[in-house]
């Protein structure tokens, strides 16, 4: 199933092999990182997202952590629970799709100015296939911003994610991005371990700039 020849297929196995749609059938109106980490995500988005742009929030929920004062032309939300997406006030449109069953995004090529994946990458069983689609829908030079902490649903996170920590998880995401065709990748510790709350790291990939 994986598009990473360096890693065996079992690296992307889950303790709970049932379809993810079953796990997410009931809405969870909670946040999965603490207030400090949420603010750090918002600050990162404020620095990196183009005001007035078209944003795709993959693996979203009832909150997108976007800076409240920044307007966007469109915010497309994706997730596995329609009620959560419907409750998100920043979304202008949304769709429900299991990316582990179908990584193809129903979005036009080169139509999105940024893609967000906040505390969700650990659940992807073929992350390279999904990120290749992300690269396709992004305009030239645009970013995908992947943020993560040390929290997850352990029965749904893939095995390799749970086998590594911190900086190695960031390197794993960078590996995904390289295989997906992102030539520019940056890793950043946003909230360090031991800072008194949830740690937060970001891995940012950019598509090739246009000629």
């Amino acid at each position: 199933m994986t598009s990473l020849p360096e890693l065996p297929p079992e690296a992307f196995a889950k303790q709970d092999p049932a379809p993810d749609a079953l796990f997410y059938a009931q809405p969870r109106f909670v946040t999965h990182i603490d207030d400090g980490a949420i603010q750090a995500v918002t600050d990162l988005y404020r620095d990196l997202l183009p005001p007035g742009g078209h944003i795709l929030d993959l693996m979203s929920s009832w909150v997108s952590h976007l800076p409240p004062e920044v307007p966007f032309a469109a915010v497309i939300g994706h997730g596995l629970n329609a009620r959560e997406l419907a409750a998100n006030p920043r979304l202008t449109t949304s769709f429900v799709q299991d990316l582990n069953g179908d990584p193809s995004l129903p979005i036009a090529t080169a139509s999105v100015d940024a893609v967000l994946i906040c505390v969700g990458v650990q659940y992807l069983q073929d992350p390279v296939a999904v990120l290749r689609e992300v690269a396709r829908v992004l305009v030239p030079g645009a970013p995908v911003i992947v943020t993560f902490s040390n929290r997850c649903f352990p029965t749904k996170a893939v095995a390799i994610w749970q086998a590594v920590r911190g900086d190695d998880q960031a390197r794993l995401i960078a590996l995904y991005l390289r295989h997906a065709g992102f030539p520019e990748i940056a890793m950043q510790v946003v909230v360090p371990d031991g800072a008194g709350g949830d740690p937060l790291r970001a891995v940012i990939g950019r598509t090739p700039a246009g000629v």
Side-chain angles (χ1 to χ4, degrees), residues 185-196:
I185 302 166
M187 295 181 285
Q188 180 178 345
V189 177
V190 185
V191 179
D193 298 277

Side-chain angles (χ1 to χ4, degrees), residues 48-50 52-56 73 111-115 137-139 141-143 206:
L48 295 176
L49 298 182
H54 290 72
I55 310 300
L56 172 59
S111 64
V112 174
D113 297 299
V115 175
V137 305
L138 282 169
V139 302
R206 289 188 181 273

Side-chain angles (χ1 to χ4, degrees), residues 54 56 105 108-116 130-146 176-186 203-211:
H54 290 72
L56 172 59
L105 296 176
T109 298
S111 64
V112 174
D113 297 299
V115 175
L116 318 176
V130 174
L131 290 169
R132 283 175 180 157
E133 277 290 281
V134 167
R136 178 184 66 80
V137 305
L138 282 169
V139 302
V144 55
I145 305 167
V146 184
Y176 298 165
L177 289 168
R178 283 196 297 274
H179 277 268
F182 286 84
E184 181 183 338
I185 302 166
V203 184
I204 302 156
R206 289 188 181 273
T207 53
V211 177

Side-chain angles (χ1 to χ4, degrees), residues 8 25 29 34 49 52 57 68 75 87 94-95 107 109 129 131 151 191-193 199 201 206-207 211:
F29 293 108
D34 67 16
L49 298 182
D57 188 7
V75 181
S94 64
F95 64 100
I107 296 172
T109 298
L131 290 169
R151 297 195 194 186
V191 179
D193 298 277
R201 287 173 170 80
R206 289 188 181 273
T207 53
V211 177

Side-chain angles (χ1 to χ4, degrees), residues 61-76:
S61 180
W62 65 286
V63 60
S64 290
H65 309 317
L66 294 166
E69 79 283 1
V70 179
F72 299 102
V75 181
I76 306 164

Side-chain angles (χ1 to χ4, degrees), residues 147-170:
T147 49
F148 67 94
S149 186
N150 58 359
R151 297 195 194 186
C152 68
F153 295 121
T155 61
K156 283 299 181 181
V158 297
I160 192 167
W161 184 265
Q162 300 191 73
V164 296
R165 294 290 182 270
D167 290 343
D168 287 333
Q169 290 171 330

